Amino acid sequence: MSGRPVPCSVAELSTLFLFEKLDGDQLDRLCREGRVETFESGPVYTEGEPASCFFVLLEGTVVLSRRVGNDDVEISRSSSRGVYSGAMQAYLGDRVRPVYNSSMRVTEPSRFFVLPAETFAAIMQDWFPMAVHLLEGLFFGSKNTQQAIGQRERLLALGSLSAGLTHELNNPAAAAVRATSTLRERVAKMRHKLGIIATGPFSREALAHLIEIQERTAERVAKAPVLSPLEASDREDALGDWLDDHGIAEGWQLAPSFVQAGLDVDWLDQVAAAVGPEILPGAVGWLNYTVETELLMNEIEDSTARISHLVNAAKQYSQLDRAPYQVCDVHELLDSTLLMLSGKIGPRITVVKEYDRTLPKIPAYPGELNQVWTNLVDNAVSAMNGTEGDGTLTVRTALDRDRLLVEFRDTGPGVPAEIRDRIFDPFFTTKPVGEGTGLGLDISWRIVVNKHHGHLEVRSVPGDTRFQVRLPLTAAEPDTSEEPS
């Protein structure tokens, strides 16, 4: 929006706090190379446009806002003479992207002193060379520090995830190794028992019955019902008594395996009727090895399936071999993150999932959303681990008008009201020295707000802290700027 030019007054400029220390020649140069413009109510410049001018308010009221999703969020409003905005970083040249970082409008006819960005940069470098060097060092030094610490934050998170994943993988891997070793032993004994049966005085018909029973027993193992501890104990007692009554040695050792396989007294009665009393002890021993072999193979299958599931979760979390921007299901991302962090969450914290599975998939950067989930879960766990007793982490998804809501609720002590407005600031942390960099929430904010055009906020009272992420349901233009560090 172009303003109406009006005469520039050196005397008026000299009354502004920004220019009060300048001498007459400097003020003359400002009036000569700058201009005074009056703007009617409405926009002056828009966020994202090339930053062509530096504005200093002489009279009126200005409002600065930032674009968050589809909304303009007011960040500042002032009627103070001398407040400034616009191309404030023009002195950095083309080393930063020369665009307006916010939008400015006026609510009443307002006058500004306006300097072209190139003129502002030249004046800064001519009049304040030392200050320019200091400001450059502060700007780029802060940015480099933030990137370096952000990388460390990612490495720390990666180390924590790796430790948790290693722990989770170790349990099913160790179970598979143990089951394989035991299976080898049982198969060897089965071969030995087969040799005894083959050389015994058993008819072909009896052996055929035995093999048929073996096949049906293996099928029964696959369909074994899940029993309560009391039901399993009662069935073990009944099977132990049956085995003792039929002269089967060490029946109390066989009964637990038979119960786990879903066998009962009626089944053993069918076995006894099919093979006859002279074969029964050998037949029961043979079936026991069959049962144990099937159970061990089930254990190996379960363990390897668990390992495969963990590997798939790690792949889902890291988004390997996937496009950085894609349509994704937030529930898959949340599940993979919670699984990756299960070791850190620990047994004291109960995780409750309140998912609305009817929510649509959304266009997003899945790998970066996983980083947001990681930061928010990590903060919640740290808060609850700092209190005595157990805690509950509730992860909820819902439709909130035209946004998809992801909420992380914890039962920790809460965020004090006096620091609530600062928790998203870079380097601000309430964790002890060495345990946090203060960048987790800053990174999360930039990923949600800047990258996805969404919204991130916190609501907190003692015992109920909620971090709420709202993401647009429809695709905005992909942000191709540098990823948050």
Side-chain angles (χ1 to χ4, degrees), residues 113-157:
F113 173 69
V114 183
L115 270 178
E118 297 81 0
T119 304
F120 174 64
I123 286 176
M124 286 289 292
Q125 291 162 359
D126 290 345
W127 294 352
F128 313 109
M130 182 176 177
V132 168
H133 287 304
L134 292 174
L135 289 171
E136 287 178 346
L138 178 64
F139 179 84
F140 291 110
S142 175
K143 185 175 181 180
N144 292 337
T145 300
Q146 187 168 331
Q147 289 178 343
I149 295 182
Q151 290 174 352
R152 181 177 182 272
E153 179 100 355
R154 287 183 171 183
L155 289 174
L156 288 174

Side-chain angles (χ1 to χ4, degrees), residues 151-167:
Q151 290 174 352
R152 181 177 182 272
E153 179 100 355
R154 287 183 171 183
L155 289 174
L156 288 174
L158 180 60
S160 177
L161 290 172
S162 298
L165 181 60
T166 300
H167 175 75

Side-chain angles (χ1 to χ4, degrees), residues 290-310:
T290 300
V291 166
E292 288 187 339
T293 299
E294 291 294 323
L295 292 175
L296 288 168
M297 287 192 292
N298 287 344
E299 183 176 349
I300 293 171
E301 182 181 17
D302 290 341
S303 298
T304 53
R306 172 69 174 167
I307 292 172
S308 178
H309 180 56
L310 286 166

Side-chain angles (χ1 to χ4, degrees), residues 64-80:
L64 297 180
S65 62
R66 291 289 304 272
R67 190 73 172 169
V68 179
N70 296 322
D71 303 319
D72 286 316
V73 179
E74 182 176 320
I75 58 176
S76 178
R77 179 185 292 256
S78 179
S79 299
S80 300

